[in-house]
């Protein structure tokens, strides 16, 4: 058992207990996600007692746990409450989960991004559960007049050796008035009952019924629909609009122009928006507004140069070739190593811009009146949205209420909440509640893309095939690529890492596993070639490098643990029976570290009709304690499928600043028949506090695939997407 | 605007809309049946899949004026107690991640089983090819369809 100091002060608890009186309380009852199941409804208590910001207990023992972080499909709405329930020591079926709205006073870091929700919430969620349990025990000790140390709990019941026992529900009212303990005991992980038990998605039953859960489903009395037109190309802005025809169309209420980020607004990192000035059509229903949108006659004007795919490709190439500047990291004497090498291998890898393409397009509801704003919708960064909304609307933050809906995917796209600000500005201007909806085309051509990248690797081998020098120079549009202190830094005496950025007017943002999502593929494909040139097995080759990093690391800033890294490689080697061969099956391997987690994968392909096809992926992952193995496996499978799909098929390309893809007929995403047939996931059981899970399975898989393809076809894959021509297929109406 | 009487989930509904209004928006905006999702509007993602007389149809491309006597089923009406074999299998396999594509996947899969109660792997791939899952739950979807096949 561990004791930890609680970081709560008494006041914050009292405030929470009296939560109904403080702040803006909104009527979010429409959110089916907040509603209990019919089964639970039957068991509803007559009275709830707020114990703390994370939970309340009903007089019959039913527990409501608040899920503070936005749910984008990473399953935190199930896994975060599981952590609270574990320390509270209740039975999971007695738990109802509710999504919390933004409340910076009650919760910290209500953000979905960087695979951090569990990692950062781990202590505070455990503390919330343990504190509540302690307060229940205090209440019972007082009532029974026994020392608290004699009490124990099990599944929502408090027991005393004398035979006295009471359900949490019976003690809830007294517990709510207990002093908040200054220190609480946390369970020993070996006693976990809920954490580590495969648990189904709490929203699963609602999803399969089609209940309203998502922002796009939000309804509000008197709500109008708004849609936008943004410039058709990067580097353009609005010049004039002729809205006469649109205005006269049925159901249309207004056509207006807005600026959601007026000149002089102090920007935060989340305020990425290439097109803050928009033409807006407002009307009664979506279809009417869509039709009126098409009837707008808009003139756009160029404000900066229109870039084409070839332009930035050339720009990135120039950066890779220009004289060296200050490196991101240098160990030893790389020049010497390359001059004296017996063999130098040099390869270059590229990747295109990618759109996020969440299945649910950008949308947000806003109801802004003279003194307050209600914002409801899919947002990964509600706290940042609140700050920008406050500045743009001219309202204090405590008059802005934000409710996060379940999100139809995030992948980083909804870190940048311009659409919520736009909805708010529209609502303020038209003085009515409004739901802003982006069409798929508006969404895909809006920008905020994964940057385009190019990276050059060089490796120097001595006459004994030992890696003596390693050089990586990466370049990205509006973003750097290389993590200078990640592997293989620390394993090579002479090491050089360089980062360059190409300015572009095409806007970029974080995309699932930023930078890692491409650099892992390049690095691990390159190492496959180096291992081959050195005549070594690709796993043994990597393990030798880790041995070096374990026994005698080069440099001090290496930001990975070589033992855990080697651990996942060894695990996947064993599980996949690496080294055995099956007729017609070709394999590749890859390993990567990001978001504090380690992943190694072996991938099998067969060749069907002259095309390589992924049949199976073995994935070993070390992400510390796995809270919910069921959800975790699903995340890993999704990350792998996502990584394979984008590396094979997806790209945004541009002509004169205009995106050449705008919907799923010309932007190719992986489909059913192209997914691996099987993914087997193995978690390393080491009892370490949880680390990232939503992203780390994605980065390495493209290299495992490229390396397997090489075994199958004899061809190396350097440029994503690997199946570019096929990616232009028109897949409309495929049923 | 014109009046249309359409049969949805066994009930008759009257709507007053432009004849070219896709069923997707009739369902979502006029009848507040929001389980049917918008993903692309061009028939390329399957999020909007409904049944017309038991057959999977992309509601984003189906103007209300051509529905006529067709009996429409949406995810809300697939089963009275959410116990269609496909729905149960979806829960058993904990298929959903974000969940946004899943009503379309479920409706498409249910229609597949209507027509072919025992599909092979490649028949599943072909039938489901038009339904994108951006979260990548394809493996679980296929497993769930197979479970439903065995249970129905
Ligand atoms: S919305 Fe109908 S197929 Fe995509
Ligand atoms: S579950 Fe997210 S798109 Fe399918």
């Amino acid at each position: 058992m561990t004791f930890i100091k609680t970081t709560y002060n008494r006041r914050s608890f009292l405030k929470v207990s009296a939560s109904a009186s403080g702040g803006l309380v909104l009527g979010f009852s429409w959110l089916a996600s907040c509603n209990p199941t019919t089964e639970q409804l039957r068991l509803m208590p007559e009275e709830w007692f707020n114990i703390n910001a994370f939970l309340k207990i009903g007089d019959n023992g039913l527990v409501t746990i608040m899920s503070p972080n936005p749910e984008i499909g990473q399953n935190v709405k199930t896994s975060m409450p599981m952590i609270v329930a574990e320390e509270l020591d209740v039975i999971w079926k007695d738990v109802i989960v509710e999504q919390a709205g933004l409340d910076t006073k009650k919760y910290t870091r209500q953000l979905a991004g960087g695979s951090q929700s569990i990692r950062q919430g781990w202590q505070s969620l455990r503390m919330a559960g343990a504190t509540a349990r302690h307060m229940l025990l205090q209440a019972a000790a007082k009532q029974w007049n026994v020392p608290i140390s004699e009490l124990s709990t099990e599944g929502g019941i408090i027991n005393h050796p004398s035979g006295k026992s009471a359900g949490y529900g019976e003690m809830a009212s007294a517990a709510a008035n207990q002093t908040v303990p200054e220190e609480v005991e946390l369970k020993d992980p070996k006693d976990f009952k809920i954490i580590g038990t495969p648990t189904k998605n709490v929203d699963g039953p609602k999803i399969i019924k089609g209940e309203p859960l998502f922002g796009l489903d939000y309804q509000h009395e008197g709500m109008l629909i708004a849609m936008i037109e943004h410039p058709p190309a990067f580097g353009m802005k609005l010049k004039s609009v002729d809205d006469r025809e649109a205005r006269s169309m049925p159901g249309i209420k207004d056509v207006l122009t807005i600026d959601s980020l007026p000149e002089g607004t102090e920007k935060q990192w989340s305020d990425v928006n290439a097109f803050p000035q928009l033409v807006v059509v407002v009307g009664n229903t979506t279809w009417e507004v869509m039709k009126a949108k098409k009837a707008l006659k808009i003139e756009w004007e160029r404000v900066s140069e229109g870039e084409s795919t070839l332009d930035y490709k050339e720009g990135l190439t120039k950066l890779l070739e220009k004289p060296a500047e200050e490196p991101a990291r240098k160990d030893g004497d790389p020049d010497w190593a390359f001059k004296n090498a017996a063999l130098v291998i040099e390869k270059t890898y590229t990747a295109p811009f990618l759109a996020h393409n969440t299945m649910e397009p950008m949308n947000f509801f806003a109801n802004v009146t003279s003194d307050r704003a209600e914002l409801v919708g899919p947002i990964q960064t509600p706290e940042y949205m609140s700050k920008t909304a406050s500045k743009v609307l001219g309202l204090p933050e405590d008059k802005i209420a934000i409710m996060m809906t379940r999100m139809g995917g995030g992948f980083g796209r909804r870190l940048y909440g311009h659409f919520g600000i736009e909805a708010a500005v529209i609502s303020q201007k038209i003085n009515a509640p409004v739901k802003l909806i982006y069409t798929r085309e508006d969404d895909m051509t809006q920008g905020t893309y994964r940057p385009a990248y190019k990276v050059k690797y060089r490796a120097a081998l001595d006459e004994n095939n030992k890696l003596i020098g390693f050089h990586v120079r990466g370049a990205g549009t509006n973003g750097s690529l290389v993590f200078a202190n990640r592997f293989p830094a620390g394993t090579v005496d002479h090491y050089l890492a360089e980062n360059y950025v190409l300015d572009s007017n095409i806007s970029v943002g974080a995309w699932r596993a930023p930078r890692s999502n491409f650099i892992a593929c390049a690095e691990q494909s390159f190492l496959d070639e180096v291992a081959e040139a050195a005549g070594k097995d690709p796993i043994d080759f990597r393990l030798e490098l880790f041995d070096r990093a374990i026994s005698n690391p080069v440099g001090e800033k290496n930001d990975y643990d070589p033992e855990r890294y080697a651990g996942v490689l060894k695990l996947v080697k064993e599980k996949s029976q690496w080294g055995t061969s099956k007729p017609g099956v070709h394999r590749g391997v890859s390993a990567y570290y990001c978001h504090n987690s380690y992943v190694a994968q072996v991938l099998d392909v067969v060749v069907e009709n002259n095309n390589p096809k992924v049949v199976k992926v073995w994935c070993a992952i070390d992400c510390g304690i796995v809270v919910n193995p069921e959800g975790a496996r699903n995340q890993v499978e999704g990350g792998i499928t996502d990584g394979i799909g984008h590396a094979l098929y997806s790209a945004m390309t541009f002509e004169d600043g205009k995106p050449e893809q705008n919907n799923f007929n010309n932007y190719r995403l992986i489909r059913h028949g192209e997914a691996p047939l099987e993914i087997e996931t193995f978690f390393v059981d080491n009892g370490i506090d949880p680390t990232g899970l939503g992203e780390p399975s994605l980065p390495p898989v493209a290299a495992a695939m490229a390396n397997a393809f090489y075994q199958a076809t004899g061809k190396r894959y350097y440029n994503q997407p690997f199946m570019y021509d096929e990616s232009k297929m028109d897949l409309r109406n495929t049923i | 605007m014109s009046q249309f009487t359409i049969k949805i989930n066994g009930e008759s509904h009257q709507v007053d809309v432009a004849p070219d209004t896709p069923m997707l928006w009739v369902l979502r905006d006029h009848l507040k049946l929001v389980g049917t999702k918008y993903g692309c509007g061009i028939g390329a993602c399957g999020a909007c899949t409904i049944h017309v007389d038991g057959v999977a149809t992309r509601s984003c491309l189906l103007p209300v004026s051509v529905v006529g006597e067709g009996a429409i089923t949406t995810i809300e009406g697939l089963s009275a107690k959410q116990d269609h074999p496909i729905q149960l299998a979806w829960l058993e396999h904990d298929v959903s991640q974000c969940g946004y594509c899943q009503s379309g996947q479920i409706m498409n899969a249910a229609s597949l089983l209507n027509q072919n109660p025992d599909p092979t792997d490649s028949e599943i791939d072909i039938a489901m090819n038009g339904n994108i899952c951006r979260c990548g739950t394809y493996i679980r979807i296929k497993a769930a369809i197979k479970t439903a096949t065995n249970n129905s």
Side-chain angles (χ1 to χ4, degrees):
Chain A
M1 224 173 266
T2 10
F3 284 87
I4 56 162
K5 286 246 176 289
T6 59
T7 51
Y8 310 118
N9 60 41
R10 182 163 162 72
R11 256 195 82 219
S12 69
F13 267 80
L14 289 176
K15 214 161 165 189
V16 173
S17 304
S19 68
S21 60
L24 284 173
V25 179
L26 301 176
F28 289 121
S29 56
W30 76 276
L31 271 169
S33 57
C34 295
N35 295 343
T37 60
T38 358
E39 167 90 333
Q40 287 165 331
L41 258 183
R42 262 203 306 278
L43 305 168
M44 261 309 153
E46 306 221 322
E47 214 177 333
W48 286 107
F49 301 96
N50 282 310
I51 311 289
N52 60 40
F54 289 90
L55 62 101
K56 55 186 178 187
I57 299 178
D59 53 16
N60 62 353
L62 210 60
V63 180
T64 295
I65 300 183
M66 304 304 290
S67 184
N69 284 30
E71 172 63 63
I72 56 178
Q74 84 283 43
N75 211 18
V76 288
K77 196 172 165 188
T78 307
S79 51
M80 294 184 87
M82 282 172 72
I83 301 171
V84 180
E86 177 70 67
E87 292 289 352
L88 179 61
D89 200 10
V90 285
I91 297 172
W92 182 246
K93 75 166 180 35
D94 293 337
V95 172
I96 296 172
V97 176
E98 261 185 42
Q99 175 70 53
L102 176 67
D103 191 332
T104 48
K105 293 197 184 74
K106 283 188 193 170
Y107 309 107
T108 51
R109 199 183 183 276
Q110 288 182 280
L111 189 149
S115 292
Q116 301 250 357
S117 296
I118 297 286
R119 199 176 357 151
Q120 303 241 357
W122 179 243
Q123 285 294 355
S124 60
L125 295 167
R126 292 182 74 188
M127 203 189 296
T131 308
R133 177 178 170 275
H134 193 92
M135 288 160 78
L136 287 157
L137 290 179
Q138 271 174 271
K142 212 172 265 173
Q143 203 162 342
W144 297 339
N145 204 10
V146 296
I148 191 167
S149 57
E150 288 178 5
L151 297 174
S152 61
T153 59
E154 180 157 16
I157 313 273
I158 303 166
N159 293 312
H160 185 259
S162 66
K164 275 206 179 78
S165 94
Y168 282 3
E170 296 165 60
M171 290 294 164
S173 131
N177 294 315
Q178 294 298 315
T179 321
V180 178
E182 279 179 10
E183 197 178 63
V184 286
E185 60 210 52
L186 296 180
K187 279 190 180 175
D188 188 319
K190 74 171 169 25
D191 298 326
F192 285 164
K193 293 191 195 99
I194 295 175
I195 291 173
T197 303
T199 304
K200 302 212 186 300
N201 184 339
V202 291
D203 278 343
K206 286 156 194 153
I207 291 167
I208 61 139
K209 289 188 232 170
E211 285 194 14
L213 293 165
F214 300 95
L216 213 58
D217 304 339
Y218 187 75
Q219 307 287 339
H220 187 283
E221 187 72 30
M223 178 183 88
L224 297 170
I225 300 290
M227 298 187 110
I228 52 105
E229 278 292 333
H230 63 63
F234 293 91
M236 294 193 105
K237 79 176 204 349
L238 178 66
K239 187 173 177 204
S240 67
V241 52
D242 172 357
D243 59 12
R244 278 168 298 181
E245 191 188 341
R247 275 181 183 282
S248 69
M249 292 173 73
I252 299 309
K253 295 281 187 194
D254 205 349
V255 178
L256 60 153
T257 58
I258 61 159
D259 189 344
S260 65
L261 212 53
E263 212 41 60
T265 314
E266 192 193 323
K267 280 206 209 172
Q268 312 179 78
W269 66 268
S270 55
D271 290 324
V272 173
N273 189 356
F275 306 125
Q277 288 157 15
L278 303 166
V279 182
V280 182
V281 183
V282 183
N284 291 328
T285 64
T286 315
W287 184 245
E288 287 168 322
V289 176
M290 276 183 173
K291 286 208 285 189
K293 201 159 111 70
K294 292 204 178 99
L296 292 170
K297 292 177 193 69
I298 307 175
E299 257 191 283
W300 309 99
E301 64 186 336
R302 192 147 277 301
V303 283
S304 59
E305 211 179 311
E307 290 171 29
S308 299
T309 298
L310 280 180
D311 296 332
Y312 64 73
K313 280 194 170 169
E314 242 176 60
L316 292 172
T317 304
K318 275 195 193 134
L319 289 178
L320 292 195
E321 283 161 6
K322 73 181 228 173
E325 286 168 17
E326 192 56 32
R329 172 164 169 166
K330 186 176 170 182
D331 296 325
D333 185 351
D335 277 347
W336 175 88
F338 282 96
K339 249 182 236 135
N340 292 286
L343 179 67
V344 171
I345 305 155
E346 178 180 317
K347 299 291 168 190
T348 304
Y349 301 80
T350 68
F353 283 98
L354 292 178
H356 294 80
N357 286 327
T358 59
M359 276 315 277
E360 179 194 20
M362 297 309 112
N363 67 86
F364 230 80
F365 168 82
N367 188 12
V368 181
T369 57
S370 58
D371 62 348
R372 59 184 268 175
E374 287 173 36
L375 308 176
V376 183
I379 180 70
Q380 293 178 246
T381 51
E383 207 176 323
Y384 293 89
M385 175 179 275
S386 169
K387 289 200 173 70
T388 301
S390 163
K391 281 180 234 153
V392 175
L393 299 174
L395 285 171
E397 267 198 79
D398 64 357
K399 296 294 178 209
I400 296 171
I402 299 185
M403 182 66 202
M404 298 85 85
T405 54
R406 187 176 184 88
M407 281 173 253
F411 315 108
R413 179 61 183 84
R414 297 188 224 266
L415 294 167
Y416 312 98
H418 59 89
F419 39 85
I421 308 300
E422 289 157 13
V425 170
I426 297 166
S427 173
Q428 192 175 46
K429 271 201 158 183
I430 64 170
N431 199 18
V434 69
K435 183 165 67 185
L436 168 69
I437 303 175
Y438 274 50
T439 62
R440 174 59 58 196
E441 289 83 358
D442 298 333
D443 187 318
M444 204 182 286
T445 57
Q446 197 276 344
T448 325
Y449 302 125
R450 192 282 297 271
Y453 292 124
K454 188 161 187 170
V455 61
K456 183 160 76 181
Y457 281 99
R458 292 196 300 147
L461 295 175
D462 69 8
E463 56 284 356
N464 300 319
N465 287 325
K466 183 173 172 264
L467 183 64
I468 53 167
F470 194 89
H471 176 200
V472 51
R473 184 190 273 208
T477 52
N478 294 337
S480 60
L481 174 65
V482 177
F483 295 94
N485 296 319
R486 283 192 186 168
F487 176 81
T491 68
V492 197
D493 287 318
H494 307 289
Y495 172 88
L496 179 65
E498 298 174 278
N499 253 328
Y500 292 89
V501 175
L502 178 70
D503 288 336
S504 165
N505 61 10
I506 302 172
S507 65
V508 302
W511 192 102
R512 194 176 196 175
R515 299 155 74 189
S516 304
N517 57 43
F518 169 64
I519 196 81
C521 176
E523 170 200 297
Q524 292 289 309
S525 302
F526 182 64
L527 284 183
D528 204 65
E529 280 201 58
V530 178
E532 188 186 32
K536 291 181 183 162
D537 171 85
I539 293 187
D540 294 344
F541 176 71
R542 287 169 174 83
L543 290 176
E544 278 173 27
L545 294 175
F546 289 127
D547 280 346
R548 168 73 202 270
I550 294 166
S551 60
N552 180 23
V554 183
E556 273 149 27
K557 285 203 226 123
N558 307 321
D559 86 352
Y560 60 92
D561 175 341
E563 296 201 40
R564 291 176 78 184
Y565 224 139
V568 287
L569 259 175
K570 286 179 190 159
L571 181 61
V572 84
K573 182 178 178 181
E574 173 207 323
K575 296 292 181 186
S576 68
Q577 297 183 304
W578 181 261
T580 58
S581 69
K582 271 190 240 138
V585 178
H586 311 273
R587 348 184 76 176
V589 65
S590 171
Y592 200 67
Y593 160 80
C594 65
H595 303 92
N596 301 67
S597 295
Y598 301 80
V599 175
Q601 292 160 342
V602 167
L603 181 146
D604 284 359
V605 303
V606 296
V607 179
E608 262 175 20
N609 311 321
N610 280 330
N611 275 320
K613 171 157 179 56
V614 180
V615 286
K616 173 149 186 184
V617 182
W618 281 265
C619 179
I621 174 163
D622 177 349
C623 55
I625 293 170
V626 177
V627 175
N628 179 6
E630 179 89 54
R633 275 177 217 287
N634 205 344
Q635 287 304 305
V636 168
E637 291 160 17
I640 287 173
T641 307
D642 194 357
I644 289 176
H646 282 91
L648 281 177
Y649 306 116
S650 310
M652 288 298 300
T653 59
F654 302 85
E655 183 62 48
D656 211 11
K658 186 173 163 30
E660 293 180 302
Q661 293 73 24
N662 65 358
N663 206 324
F664 298 132
N665 58 327
N666 47 30
Y667 187 102
R668 181 89 154 72
L669 285 171
I670 191 168
R671 288 172 184 264
H672 273 274
E674 295 147 352
L677 300 182
E678 195 187 350
I679 296 171
E680 223 182 322
T681 306
F682 306 92
F683 296 102
V684 175
D685 184 8
N686 54 13
I688 296 173
D689 283 359
T691 51
L693 183 63
E695 295 169 275
S697 69
L698 184 147
V701 74
M705 176 169 66
N707 297 338
F709 280 8
Y710 170 68
Q711 296 299 329
T713 65
K715 189 173 154 231
R716 291 279 181 190
Y717 290 78
Y718 300 104
N719 303 307
Q720 292 187 14
F722 300 152
M723 308 277 170
Y724 188 64
D725 287 329
E726 206 198 330
S727 76
K728 292 194 167 160
M729 262 163 59
D730 190 329
L731 279 153
R732 250 182 285 193
N733 282 319
T734 39
I735 58 161
Chain B
M1 298 291 229
S2 318
Q3 291 269 353
F4 296 93
T5 305
I6 31 181
K7 246 187 289 164
I8 301 168
N9 300 333
E11 275 176 41
S12 174
H13 293 266
Q14 286 232 326
V15 286
D16 190 11
V17 294
D20 62 352
T21 310
M23 269 314 294
L24 169 65
W25 300 112
V26 172
L27 292 169
R28 291 188 57 87
D29 283 356
H30 299 270
L31 303 171
K32 310 293 179 215
L33 289 169
V34 294
T36 307
K37 301 298 188 218
Y38 166 70
C40 70
I42 61 164
C45 78
C48 65
T49 307
I50 57 170
H51 294 179
V52 180
D53 296 325
V55 178
T57 306
R58 305 300 190 226
S59 66
C60 68
L61 295 180
L62 179 71
V64 61
S65 57
V66 307
V67 174
E69 289 296 298
I72 286 179
T73 311
T74 69
I75 184 77
E76 292 90 346
L78 181 63
S79 61
K81 294 201 181 120
Q82 291 78 49
D83 56 358
H84 187 285
I86 284 283
Q87 287 170 309
L88 295 178
W90 243 248
L91 292 181
E92 185 182 329
H93 290 272
D94 204 28
V95 170
S96 301
Q97 283 189 31
C98 81
Y100 192 80
C101 72
Q102 300 297 349
S103 21
Q105 305 276 3
I106 288 171
M107 293 308 282
N108 208 71
S111 158
L112 164 66
L113 295 199
N114 282 347
Q115 286 147 46
N116 179 357
D118 195 13
T120 62
D121 278 21
S122 75
E123 284 169 341
I124 294 175
D125 283 344
I126 292 166
M128 299 300 293
N129 197 46
N131 285 77
I132 295 174
C133 175
R134 175 64 183 80
C135 298
T137 63
Y138 296 127
I139 293 181
R140 282 172 190 249
I141 290 174
K142 195 185 273 180
I145 293 176
K146 288 183 169 173
T147 297
T149 311
N150 298 334
N151 292 348
S152 55

